[in-house]
Amino acid sequence: SRPILDMSYSRHFLDFQGSSIPSSMKKLVVTKLSQNFREAVTLQQDSPVPLPGDGDLLVRNRFVGINASDINYSAGRYDASVKPPFDIGFEGVGEVVALGLSASADYTVGQAVAYVKAGSFAEYTVVPARQAVPLPSVKPEFLTLMVSGATAYISLKELGDLSEGKKVLVTAAAGGTGQFAVQLAKKAKCHVIGTCSSDEKSGFLKSIGCDCTINYKTENVESVLRKDYPEGVDVVYESVGGKMFDLALNSLAIKGRLIVIGFIAGYQNPTGLQPIKAELLPAKLLKKSASIWGFFLNHYLSEYKMALKHLLKMYERGDLVCEVDFGDLSPEGKFTGLESVFRAVDYMYMGKNIGKIVVELPHSVNSKL
């Protein structure tokens, strides 16, 4: 049924009558710029629940995604002009609990949506209707596609020049975005090599089609690549940085491509970087007619909706594994509630996760939604 105008709550938005949206909520706020997430971020207990404008949705978050770059954001590395306090968290999945009149043309209360927008580490987030993605249900698997899946899909499609038989190396292959790079390269009929840090991760990678896994804790990655791939690899999907970047660069084949989607090894440093042996870079590239491509999702937003539509279809057809890690095996157990975002970020930087780290935000049973 159509939602009705609830004059008692706000003149300007549609809502179930008496759906008991609270007036205050918990959210995470950056109160000090630091790459140390625990130092930078504060859990606020009684922030006002924001009101949606005419073209907005008020989304009650059920699942929020953890990204390596959360600590870049808390360190103020994306926009030097923004000063604390500011909201944090990049992506969420939840239900629409209220909406502006214009937004009601396309959305209704109770509808499941996902979004990418700063401020998802909160119980409620206002999302412009045009930025929301309607979903068939509220499932954490959909969250894995919003940033991680889209990054892998667009970067490989636009920059990878993938074709049958090419050798593709994916670093941090069992992580949130690595899992998709592996699967999408396999769909393009490539030979896929994945680096990881445990036998469990290696097993997971084989289960999603990885042809060769290298556990860098027990094997020498450089030696394995030199022995098994003497001609080098055609494409590297690289998110680690530092020594792994140097190693990937040295492993490129003639006309090889190195796609940099991040450099997590350096994010915890004050500069956000870990040194690389860049002085030899021009000679190395020239010698192999090789290339390095940087990829930042925000620069490819024109491709985003198409990519997401394609990924959602693949998942719904059963052609894509969307592995979610709720931290069940972490020392204090599953990541539940905004309080556990801090643990989830630590867990990521310990390299423990298999798949995308997701935090669940439970809601009280007396809600009517």
Side-chain angles (χ1 to χ4, degrees):
S1 62
R2 295 288 294 170
I4 58 170
L5 200 59
D6 178 2
M7 301 301 285
S8 65
Y9 188 52
S10 165
R11 214 151 58 91
H12 295 300
F13 59 60
L14 298 165
D15 179 19
F16 277 141
Q17 197 166 26
S19 69
S20 68
I21 297 168
S23 58
S24 65
M25 65 172 187
K26 294 179 186 175
K27 71 172 180 175
L28 295 187
V29 177
V30 176
T31 49
K32 171 191 172 186
L33 295 183
S34 171
Q35 77 281 356
N36 181 325
F37 194 82
R38 287 179 180 273
E39 270 183 21
V41 178
T42 303
L43 174 63
Q44 293 191 348
Q45 298 282 353
D46 54 356
S47 296
V49 171
L51 297 179
D54 183 57
D56 297 333
L57 312 174
L58 181 63
V59 177
R60 185 175 68 187
N61 294 314
R62 290 275 303 282
F63 300 102
V64 294
I66 304 297
N67 291 281
S69 46
D70 287 330
I71 71 172
N72 287 332
Y73 201 64
S74 72
R77 289 175 184 147
Y78 286 159
D79 184 352
S81 69
V82 178
K83 304 294 179 218
F86 56 85
D87 297 347
I88 191 165
F90 291 130
E91 55 187 341
V93 165
E95 303 105 345
V96 176
V97 290
L99 67 170
L101 289 170
S102 297
S104 70
D106 299 305
Y107 289 91
T108 56
V109 167
Q111 190 164 354
V113 293
Y115 64 89
V116 175
K117 178 184 178 284
S120 71
F121 292 164
E123 290 179 320
Y124 295 85
T125 304
V126 166
V127 180
R130 59 190 163 74
Q131 288 178 23
V133 177
L135 298 174
S137 61
V138 175
K139 284 173 76 171
E141 286 78 9
F142 292 125
L143 191 58
T144 68
L145 303 174
M146 299 302 294
V147 171
S148 301
T151 294
Y153 182 91
I154 300 170
S155 64
L156 289 173
K157 178 175 175 286
E158 296 293 316
L159 310 175
D161 193 28
L162 300 184
S163 58
E164 187 171 352
K166 284 197 173 177
K167 295 182 279 293
V168 178
L169 172 65
V170 180
T171 64
T177 186
Q179 65 171 329
F180 295 111
V182 168
Q183 293 178 80
L184 294 168
K186 280 304 294 177
K187 300 249 179 269
K189 299 183 176 172
C190 296
H191 177 93
V192 183
I193 308 132
T195 70
C196 62
S197 60
S198 71
D199 291 342
E200 291 78 14
K201 291 185 180 189
S202 183
F204 166 67
L205 289 173
K206 285 173 182 163
S207 78
I208 59 171
C210 206
D211 297 287
C212 167
T213 62
I214 308 172
N215 179 347
Y216 62 80
K217 292 281 177 75
T218 57
E219 299 173 87
N220 183 304
V221 180
E222 198 163 10
S223 303
V224 173
L225 290 173
R226 199 180 300 123
K227 175 175 160 287
D228 294 348
Y229 305 94
E231 300 293 309
V233 296
D234 302 296
V235 180
V236 183
Y237 182 88
E238 216 296 274
S239 60
V240 177
K243 289 177 182 170
M244 188 62 84
F245 173 90
D246 290 329
L247 193 154
L249 179 66
N250 293 338
S251 304
L252 285 176
I254 303 296
K255 296 184 183 175
R257 292 165 168 252
L258 197 164
I259 303 171
V260 176
I261 65 117
F263 33 92
I264 189 172
Y267 294 168
Q268 288 178 301
N269 297 345
T271 60
L273 295 166
Q274 200 177 39
I276 58 169
K277 294 174 182 168
E279 65 274 9
L280 299 173
L281 194 58
K284 286 180 178 179
L285 294 177
L286 181 65
K287 187 178 169 186
K288 293 180 175 177
S289 294
S291 56
I292 298 176
W293 301 77
F295 179 86
F296 186 48
L297 185 59
N298 289 11
H299 299 148
Y300 287 85
L301 293 180
S302 59
E303 305 293 311
Y304 184 77
K305 288 233 160 157
M306 172 278 301
L308 208 55
K309 196 173 172 184
H310 193 83
L311 289 165
L312 284 164
K313 274 186 185 160
M314 286 176 73
Y315 172 66
E316 284 167 358
R317 281 200 312 260
D319 289 343
L320 200 62
V321 172
C322 297
E323 189 70 16
V324 171
D325 191 332
F326 278 119
D328 293 299
L329 300 177
S330 67
E332 293 172 58
K334 185 176 175 179
F335 302 133
T336 304
L338 287 171
E339 304 81 5
S340 67
V341 168
F342 299 97
R343 283 200 300 120
V345 170
D346 290 344
Y347 183 73
M348 169 171 277
Y349 279 90
M350 287 188 283
K352 299 291 189 188
N353 59 299
I354 295 179
K356 173 85 178 180
I357 301 176
V358 172
V359 173
E360 182 173 6
L361 306 185
H363 288 280
S364 60
V365 290
N366 60 9
S367 166
K368 294 188 182 176
L369 287 180

